[in-house]
Amino acid sequence: MVMAAARLIALDWGSTRLRAFLLGDSGEVLATRQSNDGAATLSGADAYAAALAALVGDWRADHPGIPLLACGMVGSQYGWREAPYVRCPADAAGLAAQLLTLDGQLSIVPGLVDEAAQPDVMRGEETQIVGALALHPELAEDACLVLPGTHSKWARVKAGRVMGFATHMTGELFALLRQHSVLNRLMPADGSSPASPEAFLKGVDAAQQPGGLGHQLFAVRTLGLFKQLSAEQLPDYLSGLLIGHELASELQGAQTRVALIGDPALCARYARALTHLGQPDPLLLDNTAPAGLWALAQTTNLN
C-alpha cells in the first residue's frame, strides 16, 4: 500500500500494454505498475474498466477522489472512448482544453492531427512531447523531437507548439520484412543475431545513395547471396537501411536541436545513425509520458 501523498494517477495506455504511475505533489513518481492489457487486447467499456480496476483499484481506494489522466490508444476509435484530435499547431493548453472526461475522475488526452499535406495522426506521443518540453524547456523554442518505434514520429516544435509532424512506419516495416518476406530466408531463424554496428551503418550509408527503397531492399538479399554480408549481419543492415531512409527524408534544410524520446536501446540506434551522418549528438530521453500527463493535469487544474 502506498501511503505517501498522491495527486494523480497517470496512465500511459498503449496498444500492447498499460502503464500506470502514481504521482505526488510535485509530479514525482511514487509508484509504477504495468500490465499487458493494451488497447489491442480489449473490447468494450467493461473490459477497459476491469483492466483499470485490476491494475490500480487499490490506489483509487487508498486515495479517494484522486483524478486519473490517460493518454494513448485508450482514446482511439477502438479504445474505451474516442477522444478528439487537436489540429496542429498545438500546445499543452490546446490539448488540455479538449480532454475527454468519462466520469468524474477519469479523463483522456486528445491526439494530434497534422493536415498540412495528407492527414497524419498521433496518440500518446503528444503527451510525451509535452513531457519533454516540461523537463527541458530549452527545447520549446526550436527543436525536432523524434519518437522512434513501430511508427516513428518526427515533430517540429517552435515557441512551445507542435507545428507539424511526420510518421514513418519504420519499425513495422522492419518486423514485416524480417519475419515475413523473402529477405527472411537468409537470416538466422531464431532472430538472435549478435549486434553488428558495422552492418547497421553500412545500411544507413546505402540509404543516402540514389535509388528507391524497394530496389535497395532487394540488396539485403543479394548481399547475403554473394557473401558480402553474413547471415548474422543482414538484420542490422536492414535496420540501418530503413532508419537511414527515414533520416534522409527528415534531415533536410536548416537543422535544429534534435531530441530522441523512448526506448533507450532504440534511441541509441537512431543516435548512432544521426552522428554517423554528421549531426550533433541528440538529447536522449526515456519515457516522458508521466511528466507530460502531470503538466497537462496542471494546465487544466485537474490535480
Side-chain angles (χ1 to χ4, degrees):
M1 179 183 298
V2 177
M3 300 303 295
R7 292 293 179 263
L8 180 71
I9 296 176
L11 304 167
D12 183 4
W13 209 324
S15 295
T16 59
R17 64 179 174 177
L18 165 59
R19 292 186 288 186
F21 308 87
L22 189 64
L23 304 184
D25 288 322
S26 301
E28 71 275 20
V29 177
L30 304 175
T32 62
R33 292 177 181 171
Q34 73 174 41
S35 74
N36 293 324
D37 290 319
T41 69
L42 302 171
S43 179
D46 290 344
Y48 279 91
L52 182 62
L55 189 63
V56 301
D58 60 330
W59 285 357
R60 301 183 75 178
D62 291 341
H63 306 282
I66 190 171
L68 294 86
L69 184 57
C71 68
M73 297 307 290
V74 65
S76 73
Q77 62 179 315
Y78 306 110
W80 194 333
R81 278 269 299 279
E82 186 173 7
Y85 285 109
V86 177
R87 288 182 172 84
C88 292
D91 58 11
L95 290 165
Q98 295 198 45
L99 294 181
L100 172 66
T101 300
L102 298 188
D103 57 35
Q105 288 181 267
L106 174 62
S107 300
I108 298 176
V109 178
L112 280 183
V113 60
D114 182 356
E115 298 178 304
Q118 59 191 28
D120 204 338
V121 297
M122 65 169 67
R123 283 200 186 277
E125 294 91 352
E126 76 294 318
T127 301
Q128 294 198 62
I129 291 170
V130 171
L133 298 182
L135 293 170
H136 294 273
E138 71 275 11
L139 296 173
E141 184 59 31
D142 189 5
C144 178
L145 275 57
V146 185
L147 298 95
T150 303
H151 299 154
S152 297
K153 308 288 185 180
W154 289 69
R156 304 176 298 281
V157 174
K158 286 192 176 182
R161 299 193 299 169
V162 178
M163 305 305 294
F165 60 92
T167 302
H168 295 262
M169 294 178 60
T170 304
E172 185 167 359
L173 278 174
F174 176 81
L176 289 170
L177 292 166
R178 172 68 178 86
Q179 299 168 18
H180 303 294
S181 79
V182 67
L183 304 181
N184 168 261
R185 297 179 184 178
L186 292 177
M187 299 183 190
D190 60 4
S192 60
S193 305
S196 176
E198 298 83 5
F200 173 75
L201 293 179
K202 186 172 182 177
V204 171
D205 286 337
Q208 313 310 306
Q209 304 305 313
L213 175 60
H215 171 65
Q216 292 178 341
L217 282 172
F218 194 70
V220 180
R221 175 174 169 78
T222 55
L223 288 170
L225 284 173
F226 286 90
K227 309 301 182 186
Q228 295 183 33
L229 288 175
S230 69
E232 290 75 20
Q233 290 178 305
L234 292 178
D236 271 317
Y237 180 83
L238 173 61
S239 173
L241 185 63
L242 292 171
I243 291 175
H245 271 276
E246 184 180 330
L247 269 57
S249 173
E250 294 295 338
L251 297 178
Q252 299 179 10
Q255 295 306 305
T256 58
R257 178 76 183 274
V258 173
L260 293 164
I261 307 168
D263 174 72
L266 186 54
C267 285
R269 182 170 287 254
Y270 273 71
R272 188 181 307 125
L274 283 165
T275 56
H276 179 70
L277 295 177
Q279 299 295 313
D281 290 338
L283 177 65
L284 300 178
L285 301 174
D286 205 337
N287 181 23
T288 56
L293 288 163
W294 177 256
L296 290 168
Q298 288 186 304
T299 300
T300 192
N301 296 317
L302 195 63
N303 57 348

